[in-house]
Amino acid sequence: MSDTKVTWLTQDAYDRLKQELDHYIELRPVIAAKINDSREEGDLKENGGYHAAREEQGQHEARIRHLQELLRSAKVGEPPANDGSAGPGKVLTVRYDGDDEDENFLLATREEGTEGDLDVYSPESPLGKALLGAKEGETREYELPNGSIQKVTLVKAVPYTGK
């Protein structure tokens, strides 16, 4: 990952991701042993166990690299200030123009909100970019994939507590 972005994480999320990283690192010898055992079973071209173990190893190594990068660039600490403005680490309540119901979501990385029931929207998404810095009651616009413009009003913005 060449363009490092800072990711806001609660201490709980950081600890959970660090534990996941440690788990994957501990699995390295187990997967290597699976590969060696499968290799000894014979012809590699027709050895499904070998290919499955190599695939598993690739997935684990990719996740390890992702977690290492994420944790290295993470900003860990208390939730952001409860100032009524939209930003990473906040639970946003929004109302779309023409809609009668509010929607709640966490503005953060997917890793931050994987434990809860909240949807997670990236600050890099079109909606996330449009809402960044908005104050409660403010209406912003963003472009939908079909090219039309959607208006959205920030109803409420509160710090995410991890629950």
Side-chain angles (χ1 to χ4, degrees):
M1 295 186 184
S2 56
D3 59 338
T4 302
K5 292 186 170 77
V6 174
T7 302
W8 178 88
L9 294 173
T10 60
Q11 187 64 51
D12 287 345
Y14 182 90
D15 293 344
R16 180 173 39 80
L17 293 171
K18 177 72 171 103
Q19 188 174 22
E20 181 183 351
L21 174 61
D22 293 344
H23 171 73
Y24 277 120
I25 290 173
E26 288 172 10
L27 285 178
R28 279 177 164 163
V30 174
I31 294 172
K34 270 191 206 177
I35 291 170
N36 284 336
D37 291 346
S38 299
R39 184 181 292 134
E40 293 172 5
E41 291 176 6
D43 185 7
L44 295 182
K45 290 181 185 174
E46 298 177 12
N47 189 331
Y50 173 78
H51 294 290
R54 292 284 296 171
E55 176 71 20
E56 182 181 9
Q57 180 186 41
Q59 290 171 351
H60 282 226
E61 290 301 318
R63 184 66 178 161
I64 287 170
R65 284 190 302 277
H66 175 74
L67 289 170
Q68 286 173 331
E69 178 68 20
L70 181 73
L71 294 173
R72 186 165 29 81
S73 64
K75 180 180 176 187
V76 182
E78 293 304 309
N82 191 3
D83 58 4
S85 68
K90 301 264 185 106
V91 176
L92 305 183
T93 303
V94 299
R95 179 168 292 159
Y96 297 98
D97 195 34
D99 211 350
D100 292 337
E101 293 189 25
D102 293 344
E103 178 182 345
N104 295 318
F105 60 88
L106 173 63
L107 189 63
T109 63
R110 299 239 176 255
E111 283 80 4
E112 177 64 34
T114 55
E115 295 294 299
D117 293 335
L118 276 175
D119 287 334
V120 180
Y121 288 36
S122 168
E124 299 298 314
S125 70
L127 175 60
K129 285 180 182 178
L131 288 170
L132 280 176
K135 299 284 184 199
E136 290 176 356
E138 189 175 339
T139 299
R140 299 273 181 100
E141 295 180 344
Y142 67 100
E143 188 174 340
L144 297 172
N146 66 8
S148 62
I149 301 297
Q150 175 70 53
K151 287 185 178 183
V152 62
T153 301
L154 180 63
V155 177
K156 192 170 187 175
V158 297
Y160 177 65
T161 60
K163 292 167 179 71

